[in-house]
Amino acid sequence: MSANIFDRRRVNGPPRSVEPLYTDEGDVKPFTNGGRADGRSLDQLRPIFIKTGPLAVQPTFSPTAPSGSAYYEQGKIRISCAVYGPRQGRKSNPRMGSFDCDFQYAPFSCSWKRRPHIKGADEKEIALILEQAMAPAIRLEAYPKACIDAFVTVIESDGKFATISAAINCISAALADAGIELYDIVAACSMSLNASQWVSDCNQAEEDVSQCSLFVSRMPSADEITYLLQQGKTMPDQTDRAVQTCSNSCARVYAVLSRYLQASMEQPAS
Amino acid sequence: MSSESVIVTPGRRLGLTQEYESGPGTYVRNGMIYSSILGTKKIEQALAETSDDSIKRPMLFVERQNTKFAIPVIGSEILGRVVRINPRAASVAIMMVDSAPCQEDFQGIVRVQDIRATEKDLVQMINSFRPGDIIRAEVISLGDQRSYFLATTKNEHGVVFAQSEAGNSMIPISWEEMQDPKTQTIEKRKCAKPVT
Amino acid sequence: MASLILSPAEQDFIIRGVEKGFRGDGRGSLDRREVTLRTGMISQANGSARCRIGSLGVGTDILVGVKAEVNTWAAGEPEECGTIVCNVECSPSAAQEFEGRGADEINVELTQLLDRIVGGEQSGLDLRKLCIIPRQAYWVLHIDALVLDVKGGVADALVWATRAALLATKLPRVVVESVTDDSGVARAEFDVVDDAEDQMGLEGARDLPLAATFNQIGRRYVVDASEQEEAVTQAKLTVAVSPKMEICAIQKGGMLKGFAPSLLSEITQTALRIAKEEFARFDALFAEASKHNGELDEEPSTGSTFLEPF
């Protein structure tokens, strides 16, 4: 709008406008001075918070409410998941039920440029990854001909592999909240390789400068790894070490998940 | 019945199969009983067994307060609403299974030969069910791609609630007739025997 | 994958056979089926390859074409590198369920898998050499794969065919000169030399990885599962290894079960062990394919080379 146009019908603002003053904090480069930007140690995970049942409509049984839901936070990652089911499936298999997962980034959630409102190939692939990571843990033989649907929405993402791991943890919590029979809760954790050192639970800035990223999802009771994904080059012994360390981190995440789920049962009216 | 109020998450070890039976909410692997849902661990003591030689083990199960959604299983009793009828079958929306609600209505079908136990060839759909009736039925098969197969052959199965053409709730007067108390008209249905 | 329905008796037969070390076609648990490789059959593409794993008519057949295009640099893109864009499509001729939108899910899965293995720095390709003028123009390689037949082991065939196509890719030479325009500002301009003889291969293509998929059947695992073995697979792991014995990518597939951690490390060790033989086999096949290609240049090139019994 030209500063010279004077609109007599309205109260005009000042004719000249100036850009606000920004204090440039400067990008904090990850791994400067050998430490991490947020002060964590190399194998320290970001703090986790879980709340189950936030999407349930009071009273708990309503035709359109999800059977179970969970809200998950890990550092700056925020994810919400709703589970519907067991309900009539489209592909009805008389031997076992089916598990379907839908994953989407909220338009404001990612730091990288993406076309909003359009489901990209990466979201579709992550949905497949989540299905393959969670399906071994669900007792699908107990739900013949039925299907269980999980819908994951990422409200804020911080690290691609860390977000996928967080989504797995969130779905586990939502399935437990829905009362669906599981063999075990699946816990997942991610790591990245930076200058020959494995760093646990990296955020986006740290992942961007790493040579390789990896995440592992694990069922501790059966001691089974339900999913493993590595992207980037490593020497074989590095991968072995990473899988070991990551499995141990998964055990810690599992402990946190169990504690939160137990606490949610103890206070039913929250 | 002794109970310990321990909250367990899925995948927790509860006991050995040598010492306990596994009940609902648990599964067995390698001789160990694990919990399969999030709930309270409960032990039900064995009832005194006189005829059986083997000593009955107490049952370990996991209980959950919130409504657990059910899916139709062969042999379970369902409550459903008749959606559509045609001379060969009636489409039913299954709403409850064994007194547990379903998350979403499942689809079932009552074929005309499964409505009655006797004189199956003389059954007419229009005299057995009408759209909008609530029926109690049994699941006899997992059925095909779309529907479960149901049957109302038992005496306690059939129409439990129906509205007459005038719009009033009808009362069953015999196994094949229902009467509208206000207009006194009689309509034909396959009625369920009221359970006392 | 196109799912085959097997009776419980057939499933039991395969599982018990694998546990004792026997496979339906007599292979050992680490043996791959016969591989046939052909390159250069698509004249319009900068590089192409067709790979069939399995015998004639009962194999997984994949056709990969590589096309190079010059892109203008836009702000936000890497300043001194080219890029690689992958796309995998399953043709309905492979399976009836791939008709219409039926192949969407598997297309996405395979595209992301291929992108993970060859779509960036980890592929071994020198992306800096694909830059023509920094902050102005760069080559983008479009790798398009068409799955023509699926009989087990798609991921492996995909990576083999892509490696062959990239090794056979020839980029035209680019001449960069500095041009001073009227206002005295020196700019760089490039010109693509339109000479079929004057072409260069891709730098670093020798470092491209090969993939092997390990399927867990019962308590043992096999390499390169056939269609029947895939129907009985509980879980599978695809490991991509580079010629320098580095692990480039690992991805698990399969919905029914997870892996025990010890089995996982055993599989990665095995992947490295068989990598040497796999690369030797690939190099021999590729050399033969290039020779075969050279012979055909003497005949008038028509579409008949593509229709040869393959």
Side-chain angles (χ1 to χ4, degrees):
Chain A
M1 286 273 274
S2 165
N4 296 326
I5 292 179
F6 205 67
D7 189 349
R8 288 175 224 283
R9 287 168 295 180
R10 293 176 177 81
V11 177
N12 292 284
R16 209 170 63 92
S17 67
V18 190
E19 226 184 86
L21 296 167
Y22 291 109
T23 49
D24 192 8
E25 289 166 0
D27 283 322
V28 182
K29 281 235 166 297
F31 303 118
T32 43
N33 318 322
R36 298 170 79 169
D38 50 4
R40 282 185 287 151
S41 69
L42 291 181
D43 59 353
Q44 196 177 350
L45 310 173
R46 283 173 278 186
I48 296 176
F49 168 77
I50 305 172
K51 184 165 190 338
T52 52
L55 301 176
V57 172
Q58 304 295 343
T60 36
F61 179 59
S62 150
T64 50
S67 334
S69 52
Y71 171 74
Y72 182 97
E73 272 190 30
Q74 186 169 349
K76 279 209 252 165
I77 300 178
R78 297 181 221 285
I79 301 187
S80 136
C81 174
V83 169
Y84 289 85
R87 54 184 185 177
Q88 182 128 26
R90 282 131 287 142
K91 6 172 189 161
S92 71
N93 183 337
R95 274 178 305 124
M96 40 193 260
S98 61
F99 173 66
D100 275 312
C101 201
D102 180 76
F103 179 88
Q104 72 170 16
Y105 285 116
F108 41 78
S109 59
C110 301
S111 55
W112 63 92
K113 200 165 170 204
R114 50 183 294 276
R115 287 155 68 198
H117 309 293
I118 294 175
K119 207 165 260 195
D122 55 344
E123 283 163 303
K124 291 189 198 152
E125 197 215 2
I126 294 177
L128 284 171
I129 292 178
L130 295 176
E131 275 175 32
Q132 292 177 347
M134 293 304 308
I138 307 178
R139 291 196 66 207
L140 292 169
E141 319 84 58
Y143 301 106
K145 269 188 81 162
C147 84
I148 299 167
D149 293 320
F151 295 89
V152 180
T153 309
V154 176
I155 299 168
E156 192 175 336
S157 143
D158 196 9
K160 290 198 184 127
F161 277 60
T163 307
I164 302 179
S165 315
I168 292 178
N169 297 333
C170 191
I171 300 180
S172 295
L175 285 171
D177 181 55
I180 291 184
E181 300 216 10
L182 304 169
Y183 284 114
D184 198 359
I185 300 178
V186 181
C189 190
S190 66
M191 311 183 76
S192 295
L193 182 66
N194 188 288
S196 305
Q197 265 186 322
W198 283 104
V199 187
S200 295
D201 197 19
C202 293
N203 57 25
Q204 192 65 52
E206 290 169 346
E207 264 188 31
D208 284 339
V209 300
S210 306
Q211 291 101 28
C212 171
S213 291
L214 172 150
F215 91 87
V216 170
S217 72
R218 196 168 160 237
M219 277 206 293
S221 81
D223 196 22
E224 254 179 38
I225 293 184
T226 59
Y227 207 86
L228 165 63
L229 184 65
Q230 176 189 325
Q231 178 159 328
K233 274 198 196 179
T234 57
M235 300 308 296
D237 56 319
Q238 287 175 320
T239 304
D240 274 335
R241 257 191 305 134
V243 173
Q244 284 269 34
T245 323
C246 223
S247 300
N248 295 339
S249 309
C250 288
R252 281 149 54 195
V253 175
Y254 179 84
V256 172
L257 273 173
S258 303
R259 249 210 331 272
Y260 268 109
L261 288 172
Q262 281 175 328
S264 74
M265 285 296 305
E266 275 156 16
Q267 328 150 10
S270 65
Chain B
M1 179 165 101
S2 79
S3 65
E4 311 160 9
S5 269
V6 177
I7 296 177
V8 288
T9 53
R12 275 271 197 271
R13 288 192 203 171
L14 298 176
L16 297 165
T17 46
Q18 292 168 329
E19 295 167 25
Y20 298 97
E21 291 269 349
S22 81
T26 64
Y27 69 93
V28 176
R29 180 172 40 215
N30 296 339
M32 185 77 92
I33 301 177
Y34 295 83
S35 60
S36 68
I37 57 173
L38 175 65
T40 334
K41 168 183 170 187
K42 293 227 159 89
I43 304 177
E44 187 174 309
Q45 286 306 337
L47 309 154
E49 205 51 45
T50 47
S51 50
D52 219 328
D53 274 343
S54 62
I55 303 166
K56 255 213 142 164
R57 293 161 290 184
M59 187 170 72
L60 211 48
F61 65 100
V62 181
E63 198 181 61
R64 200 188 144 95
Q65 268 69 28
N66 311 13
T67 31
K68 206 176 145 208
F69 297 114
I71 63 163
V73 175
I74 294 182
S76 52
E77 197 177 74
I78 63 108
L79 264 178
R81 188 181 66 250
V82 177
V83 177
R84 262 194 316 274
I85 58 168
N86 72 51
R88 271 167 304 152
S91 259
V92 179
I94 301 172
M95 301 185 297
M96 283 187 66
V97 178
D98 280 337
S99 64
C102 296
Q103 228 254 305
E104 238 179 49
D105 291 346
F106 285 89
Q107 219 176 324
I109 253 187
V110 185
R111 293 172 302 172
V112 73
Q113 63 264 37
D114 296 325
I115 296 179
R116 271 212 322 241
T118 52
E119 293 185 332
K120 290 189 182 189
D121 48 329
L122 299 177
V123 174
Q124 283 196 309
M125 181 59 74
I126 197 71
N127 294 334
S128 311
F129 301 134
R130 295 277 172 98
D133 293 352
I134 308 290
I135 65 166
R136 196 189 299 275
E138 186 190 347
V139 180
I140 51 171
S141 156
L142 290 180
D144 58 11
Q145 189 77 279
R146 272 171 312 234
S147 339
Y148 289 86
F149 285 173
L150 311 169
T152 53
T153 45
K154 293 205 177 106
N155 287 340
E156 309 85 59
H157 292 158
V159 176
V160 292
F161 174 82
Q163 281 198 330
S164 71
E165 280 170 20
N168 306 311
S169 316
M170 294 195 285
I171 308 171
I173 51 177
S174 82
W175 66 272
E176 60 174 350
E177 285 176 339
M178 284 186 121
Q179 185 175 39
D180 181 338
K182 296 218 176 83
T183 62
Q184 306 300 326
T185 42
I186 291 179
E187 288 185 25
K188 280 189 161 296
R189 297 285 200 278
K190 196 270 178 189
C191 303
K193 184 170 172 171
V195 177
T196 41
Chain C
M1 308 288 167
S3 50
L4 197 63
I5 302 179
L6 293 182
S7 67
E10 280 179 286
Q11 291 178 11
D12 191 45
F13 181 77
I14 298 176
I15 294 176
R16 293 220 212 172
V18 167
E19 290 193 348
K20 290 216 162 35
F22 297 115
R23 290 173 82 169
D25 45 10
R27 286 184 281 159
S29 39
L30 300 178
D31 288 342
R32 193 179 281 287
R33 289 169 284 181
E34 103 183 49
V35 182
T36 318
L37 207 56
R38 289 274 181 278
T39 56
M41 66 275 301
I42 302 177
S43 51
Q44 299 291 344
N46 294 80
S48 58
R50 183 172 175 184
C51 175
R52 185 189 74 227
I53 297 190
S55 46
L56 184 64
V58 264
T60 300
D61 199 347
I62 308 216
L63 176 64
V64 175
V66 180
K67 261 197 101 62
E69 213 175 61
V70 181
N71 249 19
T72 326
W73 180 84
E77 291 172 0
E79 302 179 354
E80 293 180 0
C81 298
T83 49
I84 301 178
V85 176
C86 302
N87 189 39
V88 181
E89 259 183 46
C90 290
S91 145
S93 65
Q96 207 215 347
E97 58 196 48
F98 292 158
E99 194 203 353
R101 311 268 330 250
D104 278 358
E105 236 185 55
I106 190 180
N107 283 348
V108 166
E109 198 183 333
L110 291 173
T111 305
Q112 293 292 97
L113 178 68
L114 191 63
D115 189 58
R116 188 161 286 129
I117 297 178
V118 301
E121 288 290 339
Q122 70 275 12
S123 62
L125 288 176
D126 196 348
L127 294 178
R128 290 176 182 270
K129 289 278 182 339
L130 292 178
C131 174
I132 301 174
I133 301 170
R135 297 175 62 101
Q136 203 170 320
Y138 58 89
W139 284 114
V140 56
L141 292 177
H142 290 279
I143 302 179
D144 295 297
L146 188 62
V147 178
L148 298 166
D149 202 358
V150 176
K151 292 277 187 296
V154 190
D156 296 355
L158 191 59
V159 179
W160 278 59
T162 308
R163 184 167 200 259
L166 286 168
L167 275 170
T169 300
K170 295 261 181 290
L171 287 181
R173 207 160 56 85
V174 177
V175 173
V176 181
E177 25 184 54
S178 185
V179 168
T180 331
D181 63 12
D182 307 326
S183 44
V185 176
R187 278 180 317 123
E189 280 207 353
F190 68 93
D191 202 18
V192 178
V193 177
D194 195 13
D195 193 350
E197 304 296 318
D198 192 5
Q199 297 194 324
M200 2 170 273
L202 290 173
E203 276 285 336
R206 296 225 66 87
D207 283 337
L208 282 164
L210 278 184
T213 304
F214 296 82
N215 293 58
Q216 185 185 4
I217 296 177
R219 277 168 305 199
R220 298 269 301 265
Y221 55 87
V222 296
V223 174
D224 189 27
S226 65
E227 208 182 353
Q228 287 84 356
E229 287 165 347
E230 261 192 10
V232 196
T233 300
Q234 294 152 326
K236 57 183 182 186
L237 200 69
T238 304
V239 182
V241 182
S242 77
K244 297 192 186 130
M245 296 299 131
E246 297 159 324
I247 298 186
C248 297
I250 304 184
Q251 183 160 343
K252 184 229 173 210
M255 296 259 284
L256 294 174
K257 247 178 94 76
F259 279 102
S262 51
L263 194 62
L264 214 56
S265 48
E266 198 189 316
I267 289 180
T268 33
Q269 296 300 331
T270 316
L272 290 160
R273 235 181 343 130
I274 63 170
K276 281 203 188 68
E277 300 150 23
E278 299 252 287
F279 276 108
R281 192 168 172 194
F282 179 92
D283 290 335
L285 287 165
F286 186 75
E288 203 194 299
S290 314
K291 197 166 56 101
H292 182 90
N293 222 7
E295 287 163 5
L296 287 170
D297 278 343
E298 291 140 19
E299 303 166 7
S301 61
T302 60
S304 63
T305 50
F306 189 70
L307 294 171
E308 254 180 41
F310 183 83

